[in-house]
Amino acid sequence: MGTALTMGMLAVVLVIMAVFFAGFLALFGAVAAVGTVAAAAQRTTTRRKLGR
């Protein structure tokens, strides 16, 4: 019974770590996407200003 409890706790910890890692990856991806979009927008605006 003690072994089963230990395995259960290990599984719970692993699941929590997996969820946390997935959330961190999603957040990082969103930040990277926003940064890329912002950089592209900035580039286009500067180009327009230079054109004028």
Side-chain angles (χ1 to χ4, degrees):
M1 194 162 166
T3 315
L5 189 72
T6 307
M7 290 296 284
M9 283 191 69
L10 251 172
V12 168
V13 170
L14 274 174
V15 167
I16 290 173
M17 278 179 67
V19 169
F20 181 76
F21 189 67
F24 181 74
L25 264 180
L27 190 76
F28 187 72
V31 169
V34 169
T36 306
V37 169
Q42 213 169 20
R43 223 171 281 144
T44 49
T45 48
T46 47
R47 210 176 283 157
R48 276 184 199 148
K49 277 180 192 167
L50 280 171
R52 280 179 195 167

